[in-house]
Amino acid sequence: MRDFSKLTLKADHENRPLWVCPDGRIYLEAQSPLYGPAYDFLVAIAEPVARPEFVHEYRITPHSLYAAVSVAISPEKIVSVLDKLSKVKLPEAVEDFVKGCTKNFGRAKLVLRQNRHYIESHEAGALRELLSHATIRGSRDDVKEDGVASEDEFAEGEVQAEAAANRAYLELEAELDEEDEDAAAEDPKAPTKKAAEKAQKTLSFRLRQGAAQEVKRIAAKDLEFPLQEEYDFRHDSVNATLPIDLRPSTRIRNYQEKSLSKMFGNGRARSGIIVLPCGAGKTLTAIVAAATVKRWTLVLCSNATAVAQWKNQFLLWTTLDSRRISLFTADVKDDLHDDCGILITTYHMVSFGGTRAAAGERLIQQVKTREWGLMLLDEVHVVPAATFRKVLALCNAHCKLGLTATLVREDNLITDLNFLIGPKLYEANWMDLTHAGHLANVQCVEIWCPMSGPFYREYLRNGGAGQALAPDVDDASSAARRRRLLYVLNPVKFRACEYLVHLHEARGDKTIVFSDDVYALLSYAKALERPAVYGATKEAERQAILASFRFNSAVNTVCLSKVGDVAIDLPEANVIVQVSSHFGSRRQEAQRLGRILRAKPNSDGTDGFNAVFYTLVSRDTDEMFYSTKRQQYLVDQGYTFKVVTDLPDRGPDSVLNTPEKELDLLNDVLTSHSLKEEEAEEKAIKDAANGGIDVTRRATIAATKLSGGEGRAYYEYDAPVTDASSSKKRHRLFKSRAAKKARTK
Ligand SMILES: Nc1ncnc2c1ncn2[C@@H]1O[C@H](COP(=O)(O)OP(=O)(O)OP(=O)(O)O)[C@@H](O)[C@H]1O
């Protein structure tokens, strides 16, 4: 419990939009006339935590401050603007935190010259602090042979190396000491010519090949000394220029411009991450960055389909000659352009450690030895941490731009991204983009489906709702799988899905039925008589199904497995019916919603919504808990979930309209223990990513975290579950428990 009652309100607090709390939390009133400028400022200096309709929550963290300072917002400015916008007197703790966290920012830089990394600083003390860490010291290359570091100074050191391994460090130590002494001896009020020269002098030391990443990580994490990465591309006289310009018809939107202005703030290119919702145009934003830097550009995608899409987008938005774009995938290995060009490939193609064919080997050597001007990293949230690190260690780029829709991962690479790529440069607000018409206005609906009696009985026998496994069920993992199938194929849920598919087809909508479980997906597709695309679907068949969904008005529904979460482009889709989801993954939920986020004209004009995201959840099962957890990210972006407890079904027209058919389905579920479809799916997803991009990482979460409705916003339609009429729809086990509880009260 946080008590902020001692904050001192300013007299004119009504005119100010922020509450700044001593623990670094900031609350923004979204109705304030100053919302626009306050939002722009906050998004630059703090992390958005939740942005529902009326009050947004942000938090100042060392990373967010690092990002702010790297886009040239000084600590003094952060403090003064916060104070100006705050309704309360700025807490001292906040001021101290800002100053403490930012004291080292911008003091040293990591720069690339002739394909080698250097740490540069104007301050001797900064380099000494960095070199005080044994690993950084050990990562230092010989400083004398490159001639870049001020050789005279380093050579003047009086300390003799006692051990060969320590030699370079000791020399630098001595030089840095001398530099400090000189500086202290000078009168700060009347700087001499020598002092002025010294102030301009850039000290640097060179790092061993491949050590830059680790040095950056240690500097940021252990020494709280983030190394800035900037590329002065306009004055790069070493690397060739790429003849790339935007087409005259290309117009970028204001949020795309804003994100780019953070990247190119001072005429140099800064490394970092741009976070834009799915469908908001990350690709074009990155293409504009490439057209600004105009140097060798390496684009890394999560799979081969995305590689082809990127090439098309470069040709669509720019005047670049297609011969300057090379692709590197399992099937295509274009040579790099002789002069200057763009290479589009996948993370896996670069990180692959096995034996390559001659063409692949030749290309990868070029990738490794080239000094890339810009590296564009697509979908940074889905790449496995090890692959990511390997790719970044292999390729040297002056500037790295990461792109993502959701800066959430179920592993801890998110904090690592701050030093592997750079700080978050910009994060757009989903709701602002929706209101401006750049994204579809999506209505999120959760439909609670009671379990049918026989299915629930089996669910409990197999260990559902905290029950012990029935004596004849001995294999816990098969039981878990069976439980999952039982709630996914719950006949009530099936009929709800059938109803929605028919409803939206009649309205001329384009509907995607999503199921993570392939067995369930195929069962739904077969019963609904609609096409399905999943991991094992052959490429030609997949293309044919997706093309007919997009362009044939007679094919308005497609069933998709998790292969559809990334790199399947279906801009026409405006309805999602999610029948099965992968545990509690917030990222996957956001990505799925992203499939229907492309801006579209109102299809029916109801309530201003032009897309619907239905999640069907079997009541009183584990799915309820997972669903809450999954929705958290979207709730934080301002989406509200309407809960519907009583959806009509197709009655006698349903394909599951008799108890006998339900029992047949139950029988199928109970006899289908095999995991082979799931294994085939995993393999196909990996193959699609050229062997190894894990898009299905499972979350390991404490059970307690699954149970709370923390921060969840929803409206319940129809009768609330606690009222007497709704208890009729409850499963009898819960009814008898509720009755027992009532009796004991
Ligand atoms: N400035 C713009 N002007 C016109 N169209 C744009 C603009 N920016 C993006 N678009 C269009 O918006 C659509 C979505 O763009 P894009 O595929 O880059 O989005 P994304 O953010 O990468 O989405 P996803 O995460 O789903 O891949 C594309 O059809 C693109 O052509």
Side-chain angles (χ1 to χ4, degrees):
M1 188 68 179
R2 292 183 294 272
D3 175 10
F4 297 135
S5 56
K6 298 209 170 52
L7 296 177
T8 324
L9 260 183
K10 291 177 185 164
D12 57 351
H13 62 88
E14 279 167 9
N15 303 331
R16 303 177 193 246
L18 301 186
W19 293 90
V20 183
C21 307
D23 64 354
R25 276 164 217 268
I26 301 174
Y27 297 91
L28 166 66
E29 289 180 350
Q31 311 300 319
S32 163
L34 287 176
Y35 167 77
Y39 168 78
D40 282 347
F41 174 68
L42 279 185
V43 88
I45 66 146
E47 301 279 353
V49 176
R51 294 185 282 194
E53 207 172 340
F54 301 114
V55 178
H56 299 178
E57 181 183 339
Y58 292 80
R59 191 176 301 157
I60 303 186
T61 65
H63 287 309
S64 71
L65 292 170
Y66 166 34
V69 176
S70 70
V71 296
I73 307 179
S74 68
E76 295 71 32
K77 186 152 185 214
I78 295 175
V79 170
S80 76
V81 177
L82 268 183
D83 191 29
K84 209 169 278 172
L85 296 174
S86 176
K87 290 170 181 292
V88 294
K89 191 173 164 296
L90 192 68
E92 254 173 49
V94 171
E95 192 171 339
D96 293 347
F97 185 73
V98 171
K99 291 190 172 151
C101 284
T102 52
K103 68 178 190 300
N104 284 331
F105 294 170
R107 288 178 66 201
K109 286 181 191 166
L110 184 67
V111 292
L112 187 67
R113 280 196 295 264
Q114 276 103 48
N115 224 10
R116 301 298 303 270
H117 280 105
Y118 293 80
I119 294 190
E120 254 184 30
S121 176
H122 294 304
E123 289 176 54
L127 294 187
R128 189 172 48 241
E129 257 174 71
L130 287 165
L131 283 163
S132 67
H133 194 286
T135 313
I136 300 185
R137 200 157 64 233
S139 305
R140 189 185 164 203
D141 211 353
D142 189 346
V143 78
K144 289 184 179 175
E145 70 182 28
D146 63 74
V148 176
S150 44
E151 197 164 327
D152 290 343
E153 291 185 19
F154 287 101
E156 275 166 28
E158 288 182 9
V159 181
Q160 295 301 310
E162 289 168 18
N166 249 358
R167 186 181 175 88
Y169 167 62
L170 292 172
E171 283 179 4
L172 181 60
E173 273 277 88
E175 294 310 319
L176 301 180
D177 278 334
E178 191 189 322
E179 176 93 7
D180 273 357
E181 276 162 28
D182 285 357
E186 284 156 7
D187 177 2
K189 284 183 190 141
T192 60
K193 191 164 168 248
K194 189 180 167 207
E197 272 168 15
K198 266 184 185 291
Q200 291 309 311
K201 206 175 277 176
T202 302
L203 297 169
S204 70
F205 61 89
R206 195 172 68 188
L207 297 178
R208 276 191 293 103
Q209 287 278 25
Q213 237 189 85
E214 183 62 1
V215 167
K216 248 187 111 179
R217 190 186 67 78
I218 290 170
K221 279 195 158 173
D222 299 355
L223 304 177
E224 292 185 347
F225 207 125
L227 298 172
Q228 220 172 340
E229 272 186 283
E230 281 186 352
Y231 177 29
D232 190 3
F233 55 94
R234 295 214 166 91
H235 301 111
D236 182 348
S237 52
V238 177
N239 294 294
T241 303
L242 184 67
I244 176 173
D245 283 302
L246 295 178
R247 287 186 188 283
S249 54
T250 305
R251 294 265 178 287
I252 58 167
R253 299 172 179 155
N254 70 333
Y255 58 89
Q256 292 170 322
E257 194 180 323
K258 257 185 204 167
S259 51
L260 287 163
S261 71
K262 303 286 179 196
M263 184 179 175
F264 295 102
N266 55 355
R268 294 175 171 214
R270 295 188 186 103
S271 293
I273 302 171
I274 291 178
V275 188
L276 292 178
C278 301
K282 288 182 281 299
T283 320
L284 176 56
T285 310
I287 287 173
V288 177
T292 310
V293 172
K294 292 186 196 302
R295 304 285 161 175
W296 275 103
T297 299
L298 176 63
V299 184
L300 292 155
C301 310
S302 55
N303 57 41
T305 316
V307 169
Q309 283 170 8
W310 269 88
K311 178 172 179 177
N312 292 337
Q313 293 279 308
F314 265 106
L315 297 176
L316 177 71
W317 300 112
T318 72
T319 54
L320 187 69
D321 183 341
S322 66
R323 282 167 301 184
R324 288 194 183 254
I325 304 179
S326 315
L327 306 188
F328 181 25
T329 62
D331 299 328
V332 191
K333 292 176 184 63
D334 297 331
D335 278 327
L336 295 187
H337 193 268
D338 290 339
D339 172 37
C340 187
I342 290 176
L343 178 69
I344 311 176
T345 182
T346 64
Y347 292 96
H348 181 72
M349 286 308 286
V350 175
S351 64
F352 178 68
T355 318
R356 295 173 190 261
E361 188 55 39
R362 198 178 60 241
L363 206 46
I364 196 68
Q365 286 312 325
Q366 293 182 32
V367 171
K368 286 185 196 168
T369 49
R370 184 158 302 286
E371 188 171 311
W372 297 95
L374 179 64
M375 193 192 286
L376 298 172
L377 302 129
D378 196 17
E379 313 270 16
V380 287
H381 55 290
V382 296
V383 188
T387 311
F388 206 81
R389 291 203 180 89
K390 202 165 167 195
V391 167
L392 290 178
L394 288 174
C395 311
N396 287 330
H398 284 280
C399 177
K400 289 173 276 203
L401 176 62
L403 304 165
T404 179
T406 53
L407 213 46
V408 282
R409 287 181 66 119
E410 302 342 311
D411 61 16
N412 51 17
L413 187 66
I414 285 302
T415 37
D416 289 8
L417 287 177
N418 278 290
F419 64 81
L420 287 174
I421 302 179
K424 182 176 67 191
L425 298 169
Y426 186 77
E427 178 166 2
N429 182 350
W430 294 46
M431 284 300 138
D432 288 351
L433 268 51
T434 305
H435 295 147
H438 298 307
L439 297 180
N441 194 5
V442 183
Q443 167 79 81
C444 298
V445 183
E446 184 173 287
I447 297 173
W448 290 2
C449 309
M451 286 283 272
S452 85
F455 274 66
Y456 202 59
R457 204 164 24 249
E458 281 304 324
Y459 176 77
L460 296 178
R461 268 172 42 76
N462 282 278
Q467 300 288 300
L469 294 183
D472 57 327
V473 181
D474 52 4
D475 181 347
S477 71
S478 307
R481 158 110 182 105
R482 222 171 287 139
R483 279 201 304 275
R484 187 164 143 76
L485 274 184
L486 286 162
Y487 60 64
V488 175
L489 283 165
N490 167 17
V492 181
K493 185 193 267 197
F494 177 84
R495 284 191 290 265
C497 173
E498 193 185 17
Y499 172 80
L500 293 171
V501 165
H502 285 276
L503 175 80
H504 285 285
E505 282 184 347
R507 288 175 17 159
D509 293 330
K510 292 276 180 186
T511 305
I512 302 174
V513 176
F514 261 118
S515 168
D516 274 330
D517 191 292
V518 180
Y519 179 82
L521 178 88
L522 296 178
S523 307
Y524 271 89
K526 193 167 150 209
L528 293 168
E529 296 181 349
R530 302 293 186 275
V533 172
Y534 59 109
T537 311
K538 297 265 177 303
E539 186 55 28
E541 190 187 348
R542 175 204 290 227
Q543 295 294 349
I545 293 174
L546 297 179
S548 42
F549 175 75
R550 291 192 60 186
F551 306 115
N552 183 346
S553 58
V555 181
N556 292 324
T557 302
V558 66
C559 301
L560 271 189
S561 73
K562 59 197 165 206
V563 293
D565 288 341
V566 282
I568 283 191
D569 201 26
L570 295 173
E572 293 77 9
N574 64 340
V575 177
I576 284 178
V577 181
Q578 179 171 243
V579 294
S580 147
S581 50
H582 213 82
F583 300 99
S585 170
R586 295 161 298 161
R587 170 172 60 70
Q588 192 188 50
E589 190 87 346
Q591 266 175 317
R592 280 203 178 153
L593 179 100
R595 299 298 98 206
I596 51 170
L597 265 187
R598 292 284 162 85
K600 31 189 84 69
N602 267 11
S603 51
D604 67 353
T606 41
D607 301 335
F609 292 107
N610 50 18
V612 199
F613 180 27
Y614 297 101
T615 304
L616 308 190
V617 182
S618 288
R619 221 158 140 167
D620 305 326
T621 69
D622 297 346
E623 227 181 4
M624 297 285 280
F625 301 128
Y626 291 131
S627 176
T628 305
K629 162 87 178 157
R630 290 174 65 83
Q631 291 163 3
Q632 190 59 54
Y633 183 80
L634 294 177
V635 168
D636 288 345
Q637 303 312 316
Y639 287 92
T640 50
F641 282 78
K642 213 177 184 179
V643 174
V644 173
T645 56
D646 199 5
L647 190 80
D649 64 30
R650 286 174 48 83
D653 290 339
S654 168
V655 290
L656 219 56
N657 56 0
T658 64
E660 291 72 30
K661 288 180 183 165
E662 282 192 24
L663 287 178
D664 285 348
L665 177 63
L666 179 62
N667 198 34
D668 285 350
V669 169
L670 296 179
T671 50
S672 89
H673 299 173
S674 157
L675 284 175
K676 68 178 188 307
E677 295 91 357
E678 303 306 318
E679 284 161 9
E681 174 82 352
E682 294 297 334
K683 183 175 175 308
I685 287 175
K686 286 189 173 171
D687 288 349
N690 289 318
I693 303 302
D694 178 10
V695 295
T696 60
R697 187 172 291 277
R698 290 185 179 187
T700 315
I701 351 157
T704 46
K705 285 203 170 171
L706 297 174
S707 58
E710 206 185 347
R712 183 163 183 245
Y714 69 80
Y715 303 119
E716 181 159 336
Y717 283 64
D718 301 325
V721 281
T722 47
D723 102 9
S725 65
S726 77
S727 73
K728 279 187 217 126
K729 290 173 216 120
R730 280 184 141 190
H731 192 275
R732 66 175 181 282
L733 180 83
F734 286 87
K735 268 201 268 183
S736 67
R737 280 187 179 174
K740 208 166 153 193
K741 212 169 165 189
R743 276 200 303 276
T744 53
K745 269 190 186 165

